[in-house]
Amino acid sequence: MGDSSLLVWGLFFSSIGLGFFLYGKKQKYPVPFLAGIILLVLPFFVNNLYVLVITGSVLVLLPFLLKI
């Protein structure tokens, strides 16, 4: 991982993912819970900055759009 911006964006999305994970687990809401898990592990598997930012942004907006 040679790009520092990839590291910063990964940390940003993982932090939001931790918040979604804890919120979804405590309130027993499946959408924030699953989005949080995916956001936590996403930076480990994505090596392209643009794919990380677009996918992370969609996953951050997903719990606000799907109220289940």
Side-chain angles (χ1 to χ4, degrees):
M1 189 187 310
D3 194 12
S4 63
S5 60
L6 191 62
L7 181 65
V8 171
W9 279 105
L11 180 66
F12 176 71
F13 286 124
S14 292
S15 300
I16 294 173
L18 180 62
F20 278 161
F21 172 75
L22 293 174
Y23 173 74
K25 184 178 176 184
K26 185 172 183 161
Q27 298 295 326
K28 297 190 180 2
Y29 292 150
V31 176
F33 179 74
L34 293 175
I37 291 174
I38 295 170
L39 281 169
L40 281 169
V41 300
L42 181 69
F44 291 112
F45 297 109
V46 177
N47 291 328
N48 188 347
L49 179 64
Y50 298 115
V51 174
L52 178 66
V53 171
I54 291 170
T55 309
S57 299
V58 169
L59 286 170
V60 166
L61 291 175
L62 191 65
F64 295 106
L65 299 175
L66 294 176
K67 300 277 185 175
I68 296 176

